[in-house]
Amino acid sequence: MARKYFVQTFGCQMNYHDSERIAGLLEREGLVPSAVPADADVVVINTCSVREKAEDKLYTELGEVRELARETGRDPIVVVAGCVAQQEGERLLKRDASIDVVVGTQSLKQLPSLIASAADRRHPVIDVQPYDDVSFPLGVARPSDPARAWVTIIEGCNEFCSFCVVPYTRGHERMRPSADILAEVGHAAASGLCEVQLLGQIVNHYQAPDDPSCDFSELLRRVAAVDGIRRVRFASPHPRHVSDRLIDALRDEPALCRHLHLPVQSGSNRILKTMRRRYSREEYLDLLDTLRERVPGIALSTDIIVGFPGETDEDFALTMDLIRQARYHSMFSFKYSSRPGTLAGKRYPDDVLEAVKTERIVALQRLQAAIQIELFAGMIGEVHDVLIDGVSRRRDWEVTGRTPGNTVVNVEAPTAWIGRIIPVRITGYGPNSLRGETLATVQQEQEPLHAR
Ligand code: 5AD
Ligand code: SF4
């Protein structure tokens, strides 16, 4: 019987995409996916260390795997991958004897051979070397989303924002050749996925190493031109690198979703400076004005950190004020968590009380919820093209999808439409999603996927 694997993923899209690569590498070795860890022969925990809580999840998960092994009498190979693996390395093996393999963010391709040697020798193996290689064999990653493909364009980051561990865990910035990216996009389109999401820490810093004329906006145009690709997204751009050429591409290119996730982190110039973000509140807000002027209908979203060291009530009030002005379609917010090795972790005491961080994040989320409801109410009656990507979480007779602006829409439609773009009229909304009715006809439903 074929051996089974199970991958548990924490963290960002980059990590979820790494898990697609891990799954593909293991399937190439003949392993098959298991729906639960209990009957897996290989259990991979793909970790995130961006915030402390994310890291704690590894230890909870390892405890559960140990417990399961005791209950079932099985002895799976336990692999720790991702940013915690990269950062903690040998320390993980000392801390937890149930780990068989530690594989870093840059050594994923070594995973099959690491598993083989751990199985042979029955003692733990580790590879957390900083490989510079950004190649990955075409067609091996196993897409986990029925509608969209994730394609990495840049690995690592050179920005060194003072709070962020990524430059230490994912290494320095390395660009993938545009030829590799376009080949991967072509493969995704040929396998029926009509949306591609380009991934990187600062995607808009992209410059093709194999073609001097291909900057990020040119790459977007080339990706959008690939046969079968109907939608292109990317995450995340850095506000300081949004060029005129990128804005022009967003305006001109119909396949390019009119949505920008532009993490601002704070509305206070004093905090932005100690965060080393290298833009001011005024420059950021000007950029939003320019985007809204030149790309009508663009949806914006952001990330905020509350309780960064030294953040006063006045600093936080400035963040609240920025949120009021920016009117984002969505916002991700985090309590600051001091990360080992980062500039802020070394230099600034984590001095905002936990209770104050909680108070601030609650106030922030309440404000954003009110703004979101207003924006959603204003969308009633509009028709949006929705890419259907799954069954609704709450009601299993509904499917769910996303507008080009990245807002979730639930709609009554057959599950056979998953993976297709359907016109939907917005009829209602909840706190985090819209509700709509499909305007697609049965005839459209019968057209072949690629005609859409
Ligand atoms: N503490 C809290 N939030 C953080 N983020 C990154 N590092 C930290 C940290 N040390 C948040 C930022 C980033 C998002 C991916 O995670 O908002 O944009
Ligand atoms: Fe981290 Fe800043 Fe790089 Fe984003 S740009 S990954 S926040 S260092």
Side-chain angles (χ1 to χ4, degrees):
M1 210 170 66
R3 291 193 310 149
K4 292 184 177 171
Y5 72 90
F6 180 83
V7 186
Q8 178 73 51
T9 314
F10 299 107
C12 61
Q13 267 168 347
M14 193 76 88
N15 254 23
Y16 279 86
H17 181 49
D18 279 350
S19 290
E20 296 184 330
R21 288 178 162 186
I22 289 170
L25 290 167
L26 297 181
E27 287 182 28
R28 205 167 57 166
E29 299 297 309
L31 277 85
V32 296
S34 160
V36 286
D39 58 358
D41 303 284
V42 174
V43 175
V44 182
I45 308 171
N46 192 6
T47 61
C48 169
S49 61
V50 160
R51 289 170 295 278
E52 199 164 24
K53 269 202 181 140
E55 194 172 321
D56 291 345
K57 288 184 186 158
L58 165 65
Y59 299 106
T60 312
E61 193 62 27
L62 279 171
E64 281 170 19
V65 170
R66 267 196 311 272
E67 186 60 35
L68 261 180
R70 242 194 313 272
E71 278 169 19
T72 58
R74 297 174 71 101
D75 186 17
I77 299 225
V78 178
V79 179
V80 179
C83 288
V84 180
Q86 185 69 40
Q87 207 172 23
E88 295 298 308
E90 294 276 354
R91 279 196 293 270
L92 282 176
L93 296 178
K94 292 204 180 95
R95 185 169 165 167
D96 193 314
S98 63
I99 302 172
D100 298 290
V101 176
V102 174
V103 62
T105 52
Q106 296 166 55
S107 30
L108 270 195
K109 278 188 292 186
Q110 322 302 325
L111 186 57
S113 63
L114 292 168
I115 290 177
S117 52
D120 282 355
R121 292 191 271 148
R122 264 309 175 189
H123 78 77
V125 291
I126 178 165
D127 186 348
V128 288
Q129 279 188 59
Y131 296 92
D132 262 356
D133 178 21
V134 287
S135 66
F136 196 80
L138 183 64
V140 167
R142 280 277 147 269
S144 54
D145 188 304
R148 55 184 67 86
W150 292 321
V151 176
T152 302
I153 65 166
I154 304 182
E155 307 251 14
C157 183
N158 288 348
E159 199 73 14
F160 289 95
C161 299
S162 67
F163 53 82
C164 185
V165 80
V166 166
Y168 307 92
T169 56
R170 288 197 174 263
H172 68 94
E173 188 175 75
R174 284 117 47 224
M175 315 281 177
R176 282 186 84 196
S178 57
D180 290 12
I181 295 168
L182 290 167
E184 218 168 282
V185 172
H187 178 84
S191 62
L193 300 172
C194 68
E195 179 178 299
V196 63
Q197 171 142 8
L198 304 178
L199 296 178
Q201 300 303 334
I202 306 190
V203 277
N204 50 339
H205 213 201
Y206 184 78
Q207 171 57 58
D210 55 336
D211 181 349
S213 68
C214 185
D215 64 359
F216 181 57
S217 51
E218 177 57 26
L219 180 74
L220 287 173
R221 290 179 192 271
R222 292 186 191 177
V223 168
V226 170
D227 207 22
I229 292 300
R230 303 266 319 274
R231 274 187 174 186
V232 184
R233 298 184 184 283
F234 50 86
S236 288
H238 192 291
R240 155 177 123 77
H241 298 287
V242 177
S243 66
D244 279 344
R245 282 168 57 80
L246 171 56
I247 300 176
D248 288 346
L250 283 164
R251 183 196 55 204
D252 300 340
E253 186 49 67
L256 203 47
C257 289
R258 291 191 166 194
H259 168 231
L260 265 197
H261 182 68
L262 270 182
V264 65
Q265 314 295 0
S266 167
S268 154
N269 282 335
R270 209 176 61 83
I271 297 295
L272 286 172
K273 195 146 191 233
T274 44
M275 283 180 164
R276 287 176 47 103
R277 291 293 290 180
R278 291 182 265 195
Y279 51 79
S280 67
R281 160 198 182 88
E282 292 75 21
E283 284 162 344
Y284 181 91
L285 285 169
D286 279 352
L287 173 61
L288 298 196
D289 285 346
T290 307
L291 282 163
R292 287 192 163 126
E293 212 169 276
R294 290 184 44 199
V295 191
I298 192 165
L300 301 166
S301 57
T302 203
D303 291 345
I304 300 280
I305 297 177
V306 300
F308 184 80
E311 186 187 68
T312 61
D313 287 344
E314 289 72 37
D315 292 316
F316 179 64
L318 286 163
T319 299
M320 291 285 274
D321 184 64
L322 182 139
I323 295 292
R324 263 181 225 109
Q325 285 191 51
R327 294 183 67 76
Y328 296 108
H329 272 72
S330 71
M331 172 197 81
F332 297 91
S333 51
F334 311 98
K335 294 180 189 173
Y336 171 74
S337 139
S338 176
R339 302 286 62 215
T342 60
L343 193 71
K346 287 191 278 201
R347 207 178 271 179
Y348 312 125
D350 186 3
D351 57 1
V352 178
L353 295 175
E354 184 59 27
V356 174
K357 287 181 185 170
T358 304
E359 221 170 79
R360 289 183 184 164
I361 206 164
V362 167
L364 190 67
Q365 289 176 351
R366 215 171 264 154
L367 171 61
Q368 175 59 25
I371 294 168
Q372 238 163 263
I373 289 286
E374 281 174 24
L375 293 174
F376 288 177
M379 291 170 83
I380 289 194
E382 289 179 1
V383 175
H384 289 265
D385 281 338
V386 174
L387 172 58
I388 306 294
D389 58 14
V391 175
S392 163
R393 266 191 293 171
R394 292 240 179 102
R395 289 171 279 275
D396 58 9
W397 65 91
E398 279 184 355
V399 292
T400 183
R402 282 175 188 266
T403 64
N406 213 30
T407 302
V408 173
V409 185
N410 294 307
V411 58
E412 230 176 284
T415 50
W417 288 8
I418 291 173
R420 297 176 177 196
I421 296 174
I422 307 290
V424 171
R425 179 180 294 117
I426 307 304
T427 55
Y429 56 87
N432 290 309
S433 59
L434 300 167
R435 166 172 303 278
E437 59 191 17
T438 169
L439 303 180
T441 62
V442 174
Q443 189 197 348
Q444 275 171 312
E445 198 247 324
Q446 284 164 349
E447 279 174 27
L449 195 59
H450 288 299
R452 307 159 153 271

